[in-house]
Structures are given as structure tokens and as C-alpha cells.
Amino acid sequence: MKPESTATDICENILKQIKRSHVEKHILPNEIEIIDRLLARRFEMREAYVEIVEKLNTSPHAVAFFIACLLPAAAFLNPDEASQLRTYKKQLSDLNKKISELSRQLSEAIDRRADLHSISDFSSGTHFDICEVIENAASNNSFYNSFIKDKLRALNAQYFHAKYWPSLTEIFDEISRDASAAEITSTHPLVAGATKNNRPSLADFVRALLISIDMHREKWGGLLPDDFTLTDNTLATITNCALDLGADKLVDGPYVKRLRQRERETPIK
């Protein structure tokens, strides 16, 4: 049997096994779609499979582990998904700006209300004590009522003077400042990689796959050797097949090489 056939059989058997498991459990249809793409484009994937198997033959489970890293990256961090993630990122940024402005306006309104209470013969009987606000807001919280309410009341009685507590105006000023200073960052390295640039591109997936490989090396408790790397051509092939790119959108080794160079020059913060 030719080496290409052996490596292809090894990788495709792993893909088919994962697919059977997903189908039986009725889970991860996006990953099943990626598996079907790879199986359908087996001719293009043959050389990539050879490289993967040759470089991971030191561990009986490393090939399966690599494929298990590849599938979610292709299923959930492809250009379409990355575009949606960018939409969420922008929405979060816009909301922080809105929260900052509304909090500032609310702070000013509360300040003005306090002034009117002082200079007029009217009072609206509204909140001015942060402890009172907390108690009323938590009135339906059984844990608060059971464990905190009496302690906070006692603390407030001991330190009743306003100098001990922030005013409502100061609280909303802080909310405004906090939202204004917010920096949008991802809580997951793969998402950070896939949304590094403002505009979506095929580089999102390649970057996410490279990060996934780094995250699952032996030094981090994974099964991929610390010195494991794939050639630019193999990464290009995986991208083309996993994302089912047509002839007019195919990427090649030089494209991946340029991407890797850019990544070295502008690492993800």
C-alpha cells in the first residue's frame, strides 16, 4: 500500500469515527459538515494527511488529537463565524459607549434632583442612600435577606453619615467611567486570533488553527509535540478543503507564509 493511501486511511477512519459518534449523539452538526468536506476532497488532502501522520507518528493518539483540534476551529471559527464574532464585538463596544453616556446623564439628573430638593419647598422621597437602594433592589433575593440584610443594616446604622458611602451620583459616575475606559478583549485565544483584524478574511481560520496547535502542545498538557509544525502548503490545503473553497478562492503556500510572517511582526495582544 502506498504511503499516501495509508495516511489517508488513518485520517479518514478517524474522521468517520468522530462523525459516527456525533451522529449517534445528535451533536455538533457543524463539525459533521467539516468532516464531510474533508472526506469529499480526499484527493486534495492526501499529501496533507501524509505530513500529519509522519510528523505525529510518535504518539498513537496524536493524529486523532490533531483532527479533534482542527474540526472545531473550522466549524466555529471560519470566516462566516468570525464575521459574526466581530459583530458581537462591535455591539459590545457600542453598548459600552451608550452605557457610559446614559450613566453620565443619569448622574447629572440625580445631581440636579438633589439640588432641587435643597433649593425648593418640594421633596420627592426618592433614594439617596446606597444601602437603601441595595436593600430595595434585593428585596426578593432570599440569600440577601437571610445572610446579608441584617449585617448591612447594622453597618449602615454604625456608619450612617454620607461621608462613609459613595453618593448615587458618584456611583453612576464610576459606571460611566468604567464603561468609557472598557477595552474589548476576547476571553478565548482562538476567538482573539480569529478576530484579530477588523475585516474578515481566510486568514481568520489559518490564524485560529495555528493558535489551536500551539494551545494543545505537550507543554500545555496536550498531545501535540512541542516542535510540531505544518508546512505552509499543508495549512493551505487544510484551509481550502475544510472551508470548501472554490477554485476562485483557493489559498496557497505563499499566502500562508505571508500570513505567518505578519503574525510574527504583529502578535496578538
Side-chain angles (χ1 to χ4, degrees):
M1 184 178 291
K2 296 181 180 180
E4 292 88 348
S5 300
T6 302
T8 299
D9 289 342
I10 290 173
C11 293
E12 288 193 342
N13 285 337
I14 293 170
L15 288 168
K16 292 173 182 176
Q17 182 178 359
I18 294 174
K19 179 178 178 179
R20 282 195 297 271
S21 176
H22 287 359
V23 170
E24 290 172 359
K25 297 176 182 177
H26 304 286
I27 60 173
L28 300 175
N30 290 351
E31 287 195 11
I32 294 175
E33 182 179 357
I34 303 303
I35 293 172
D36 289 340
R37 291 175 182 174
L38 295 175
L39 294 174
R41 299 177 70 154
R42 71 191 313 259
F43 180 80
E44 297 169 73
M45 285 293 299
R46 287 187 303 175
E47 291 186 8
Y49 287 146
V50 170
E51 181 180 344
I52 293 168
V53 171
E54 286 182 349
K55 290 185 174 179
L56 294 176
N57 62 6
T58 55
S59 171
H61 303 294
V63 175
F65 189 80
F66 171 78
I67 292 175
C69 295
L70 163 64
L71 293 178
F76 302 107
L77 293 171
N78 57 68
D80 289 341
E81 294 297 328
S83 180
Q84 181 61 62
L85 290 171
R86 284 183 176 84
T87 298
Y88 293 146
K89 184 177 181 179
K90 184 179 185 305
Q91 289 176 347
L92 186 56
S93 178
D94 291 344
L95 280 173
N96 273 324
K97 292 177 182 177
K98 185 176 182 179
I99 289 170
S100 177
E101 177 60 22
L102 291 176
S103 297
R104 184 189 62 79
Q105 293 178 10
L106 187 54
S107 173
E108 292 174 352
I110 291 174
D111 239 359
R112 178 55 181 161
R113 184 179 68 183
D115 289 342
L116 288 173
H117 286 167
S118 299
I119 64 176
S120 72
D121 292 325
F122 301 99
S123 175
S124 54
T126 47
H127 291 309
F128 66 90
D129 175 8
I130 183 58
C131 292
E132 185 181 55
V133 173
I134 293 173
E135 180 163 333
N136 278 269
S139 61
N140 294 322
N141 186 323
S142 59
F143 290 100
Y144 172 84
N145 290 326
S146 299
F147 301 104
I148 300 176
K149 180 177 179 178
D150 290 342
K151 294 179 181 178
L152 184 60
R153 280 186 172 181
L155 188 64
N156 193 27
Q158 183 177 359
Y159 300 99
F160 179 74
H161 197 279
K163 69 180 181 181
Y164 296 110
W165 303 93
S167 68
L168 299 186
T169 297
E170 290 169 334
I171 289 171
F172 284 108
D173 281 342
E174 171 57 22
I175 292 174
S176 177
R177 184 212 60 78
D178 177 66
S180 177
E183 181 178 353
I184 310 301
T185 58
S186 171
T187 57
H188 196 289
L190 289 181
V191 174
T195 59
K196 177 183 176 182
N197 296 329
N198 291 329
R199 298 181 62 182
S201 71
L202 295 174
D204 296 336
F205 168 70
V206 180
R207 191 183 301 110
L209 180 56
L210 290 171
I211 293 173
S212 182
I213 291 173
D214 285 337
M215 287 175 57
H216 294 93
R217 297 190 186 281
E218 291 174 344
K219 63 182 177 181
W220 305 119
L223 296 180
L224 301 181
D226 292 340
D227 60 352
F228 171 67
T229 60
L230 292 175
T231 61
D232 297 332
N233 287 338
T234 289
L235 286 169
T237 297
I238 292 173
T239 301
N240 292 332
C241 297
L243 302 184
D244 199 25
L245 301 181
D248 59 332
K249 295 183 179 180
L250 296 177
V251 300
D252 55 15
Y255 172 90
V256 175
K257 183 177 181 178
R258 291 191 297 271
L259 170 63
R260 281 175 151 171
Q261 180 62 34
R262 290 197 303 270
E263 293 305 300
R264 285 191 290 270
E265 294 173 352
T266 58
I268 298 171
K269 296 180 180 180

